[in-house]
Amino acid sequence: MYKRVVALFSVFALVFGLLSMRVLQIQNSAWAAAAVSNSTVTVYYERGRGVIYDCKMRPITYRDSRLLAAVKPSQEALDQLSGILTQEELADLYARLSGGKPAAILLDRAPEEGENVTVLELPMRYSESGFACHLIGYTGGDSGTGESGLEKAYNDWLSQFEGELRVSYPVDANGRLLAGGGAEITDTLREIRGGVRLTVDRDIQQIVEQAMDQNGIDLGAVVVMEAGSGKIRAMASRPAYNANRIADYLDSPDAPLINRALHPYAVGSVFKPVIVAAALAAGVDPNFTYTCTGSIQVGDTVFHCHEESGHGTIGMDMAVAESCNTYFIALGQAAGVSAVLSAAESMGFGTGNQIASGIAGDAGTLPTAAELSNPAALANFSFGQGSLTATPLQIAAMYNTFASGGQYFEPYLVEAELGADGSEARAWDPPAALNAVDRTDVLLIDSYLEKTVRAGSGSAASSTHFTAAGKTATAQTGQYVDGVEKNQSWFAGFFPAEEPRYTVVVLKEDGVSGGIDCAPVFKAISEGIMALEQN
């Protein structure tokens, strides 16, 4: 065994400084294998801060752990680890131990017990998988200052709760390891109780992230809200990132550090329920019909329906279910500029959502009354196109209005700041709900959205176990790549349809259609949540 290690060492001797050690690269951590302080040498040190919890007081930070091995310089230790480490890792460890100093290394599995290797469970502030990374954010460098997400927004609060994990060995006055001296471990990370409690449910967040990854949402976002409140139960953006290695993502063309749930996009047909609500509030008869021939001319502009041959004479329910653009252009004209703008504003469009202290979604773009006085602009707006943009969070809040009997709840992410003992020190005070849509009108609109899932363009979102209501969209962006326009795919809805409990919005950038890209994700999420609640 010794000869094998020596041979390996000779091969890698020239590149030891460049070898990538499997060593935890975590914010606020410092490796000090050669640093002697008083009578000890420290091989691992990490400084901790306040915990971010879910709504059930389960940690989201320090949720995962890894095995950390503290290794004394000895042949026995190398033999003990030889069946676990790769040849490169073993050679690198040999180099680090060859100066007579102990070292620390991360392991995927525990070795056999031995006095020369001490293994402990290392709490990781950030998951290697990137779980909830856009919500948590990350800290920067050795300072440990929050630079993104909740880490930045609540930096001062989280920083006041301190803990550490230190692994050291006793040494003599010359810094030489004392014979028989074992690893000395100081661990107060696990004693931290203070921090912040979120509205997020950790299990629902996990369901959402798995559904996105398993259904091809590689660029996009999902928001889940609780019906009847503004509580955000999950929020995820893709691509995800590993907060332990932020530098790896700084030049990525996919911009993984952006939280797409708070970023504005072209909206498309998921906006159509707002036009229905506006028309009903303006006194338009629910039996309003229009004959779709496949196109409609407004001024000098011709607008086309996605059904080139037209839908024929169609009513409000089937216009929603089949997403007939020409019907909605006619309906928007019947409602008028004032009504459609009022309905949109009452459901949060054109206003940024302050979901926590220091964290807000983009306001998006809501056309002005002057802009919509142009009949073509009003036509575009009536089926969610033109200059209108909104965030997935705004779309979730809008659909949550229909899931909540017409009440608009401002979405929020943080429930409370917690003191040193974990008790509530300061609670978030969400604004009162606003009556945005008449209750009678909501029941009608909800029935249209239920039909959309049951027998319309959103059928891929339907479950055999419960009902759902929602709407698809394939929004044009006006951006072209190699002559092909990029579209944003959406599905927005709630479940169960007759007694809504959750609202879910799914966005995919550069998608094919909402029915193909996003409706199956809604189905996976809704079935996962319902199964979770039944267990």
Side-chain angles (χ1 to χ4, degrees):
M1 172 66 199
Y2 178 78
K3 291 181 179 180
R4 181 167 71 89
V5 171
V6 172
L8 283 169
F9 174 73
S10 64
V11 172
F12 294 106
L14 296 178
V15 291
F16 280 143
L18 301 177
L19 283 174
S20 176
M21 299 181 294
R22 184 165 52 169
V23 172
L24 186 61
Q25 301 173 29
I26 189 166
Q27 304 295 331
N28 308 331
S29 296
W31 292 88
V36 177
S37 174
N38 297 325
S39 58
T40 62
V41 57
T42 298
V43 295
Y44 180 82
Y45 174 73
E46 179 182 346
R47 183 174 65 251
R49 58 199 248 132
V51 180
I52 298 173
Y53 298 94
D54 83 341
C55 61
K56 299 176 181 176
M57 284 298 291
R58 298 173 296 184
I60 296 179
T61 54
Y62 301 121
R63 167 179 176 260
D64 298 337
S65 61
R66 293 287 304 273
L67 294 178
L68 179 74
V71 186
K72 294 177 66 174
S74 68
Q75 183 59 51
E76 290 77 9
L78 290 170
D79 291 341
Q80 195 174 339
L81 295 170
S82 62
I84 293 177
L85 302 180
T86 65
Q87 290 186 346
E88 291 83 359
E89 291 166 341
L90 193 65
D92 178 61
L93 180 60
Y94 176 86
R96 295 170 63 203
L97 299 175
S98 61
K101 304 292 186 185
I105 188 168
L106 285 175
L107 301 176
D108 290 329
R109 57 191 176 92
E112 295 181 0
E113 293 186 8
E115 63 179 20
N116 294 291
V117 178
T118 301
V119 179
L120 65 151
E121 192 173 299
L122 172 68
M124 298 183 65
R125 185 163 184 84
Y126 306 126
S127 169
E128 290 284 297
S129 68
F131 180 77
C133 57
H134 295 91
L135 293 177
I136 300 169
Y138 53 88
T139 56
D142 294 336
S143 68
T145 302
E147 295 190 352
S148 173
L150 291 161
E151 293 280 31
K152 179 180 180 180
Y154 288 85
N155 180 68
D156 291 345
W157 188 263
L158 296 170
S159 296
Q160 66 182 306
F161 308 109
E162 297 182 351
E164 68 173 20
L165 190 148
R166 185 187 301 270
V167 182
S168 305
Y169 283 88
V171 294
D172 62 19
N174 295 316
R176 292 174 298 196
L177 192 64
L178 295 179
E184 298 176 352
I185 300 169
T186 301
D187 183 3
T188 57
L189 284 183
R190 303 172 199 274
E191 298 174 9
I192 301 174
R193 296 292 179 266
V196 294
R197 185 178 73 242
L198 308 185
T199 60
V200 168
D201 184 298
R202 199 172 73 174
D203 293 331
I204 296 178
Q205 181 76 20
Q206 186 70 53
I207 289 168
V208 163
E209 297 198 19
Q210 288 178 348
M212 295 175 76
D213 295 339
Q214 292 171 3
N215 290 274
I217 306 296
D218 46 1
L219 292 169
V222 169
V223 178
V224 179
M225 289 183 66
E226 179 182 86
S229 82
K231 295 177 180 179
I232 299 168
R233 291 308 190 195
M235 179 187 288
S237 179
R238 287 296 182 266
Y241 61 86
N242 183 344
N244 301 311
R245 293 192 290 272
I246 290 299
D248 294 352
Y249 304 93
L250 297 179
D251 298 323
S252 172
D254 292 334
L257 300 182
I258 292 177
N259 186 348
R260 286 166 162 81
L262 306 179
H263 183 76
Y265 292 89
V267 174
S269 294
V270 289
F271 185 71
K272 287 175 178 175
V274 176
I275 302 301
V276 176
L280 295 175
V284 175
D285 192 326
N287 296 313
F288 178 90
T289 61
Y290 175 78
T291 300
C292 172
T293 62
S295 65
I296 183 175
Q297 184 164 342
V298 179
D300 296 330
T301 306
V302 176
F303 295 90
H304 296 277
C305 187
H306 68 88
E307 186 64 55
E308 295 181 2
S309 61
H311 289 99
T313 301
I314 192 170
M316 197 174 285
D317 58 343
M318 289 309 298
V320 175
E322 297 299 331
S323 203
C324 177
N325 288 343
T326 60
Y327 179 95
F328 276 91
I329 292 172
L331 186 63
Q333 291 174 331
V337 172
S338 177
V340 297
L341 270 181
S342 177
E345 289 170 349
S346 71
M347 285 182 265
F349 290 90
T351 303
N353 300 113
Q354 185 80 29
I355 60 174
S357 298
I359 302 179
D362 195 283
T365 304
L366 182 65
T368 64
E371 182 180 347
L372 294 182
S373 65
N374 181 323
L378 177 59
N380 258 325
F381 184 71
S382 296
F383 62 99
Q385 292 285 177
S387 61
L388 175 69
T389 62
T391 66
L393 180 62
Q394 287 174 309
I395 299 299
M398 180 262 279
Y399 272 79
N400 205 47
T401 301
F402 296 112
S404 304
Q407 290 190 302
Y408 175 82
F409 290 90
E410 186 69 28
Y412 65 102
L413 177 64
V414 173
E415 287 187 335
E417 297 169 4
L418 308 176
D421 61 354
S423 62
E424 191 171 293
R426 183 167 55 193
W428 180 265
D429 185 20
L434 301 175
N435 293 318
V437 185
D438 181 80
R439 173 71 178 176
T440 302
D441 295 344
V442 165
L443 293 175
L444 203 57
I445 295 168
D446 287 0
S447 71
Y448 301 159
L449 295 172
E450 187 275 332
K451 180 177 284 189
T452 302
V453 173
R454 174 169 45 85
S457 61
S459 59
S462 65
S463 173
T464 58
H465 306 298
F466 51 88
T467 58
K471 187 77 188 71
T472 60
T474 308
Q476 296 172 292
T477 65
Q479 301 172 0
Y480 290 82
V481 176
D482 298 328
V484 178
E485 186 174 17
K486 296 180 66 175
N487 294 322
Q488 316 294 16
S489 299
W490 295 84
F491 186 90
F494 47 86
F495 64 94
E498 67 280 0
E499 195 174 341
R501 292 163 64 184
Y502 294 96
T503 298
V504 179
V505 169
V506 183
L507 163 76
K508 181 176 182 179
E509 289 186 18
D510 196 16
V512 176
S513 74
I516 292 174
D517 300 317
C518 302
V521 183
F522 175 93
K523 177 182 179 180
I525 292 170
S526 60
E527 289 186 338
I529 293 174
M530 292 298 280
L532 175 68
E533 296 204 339
Q534 290 169 4
N535 291 336

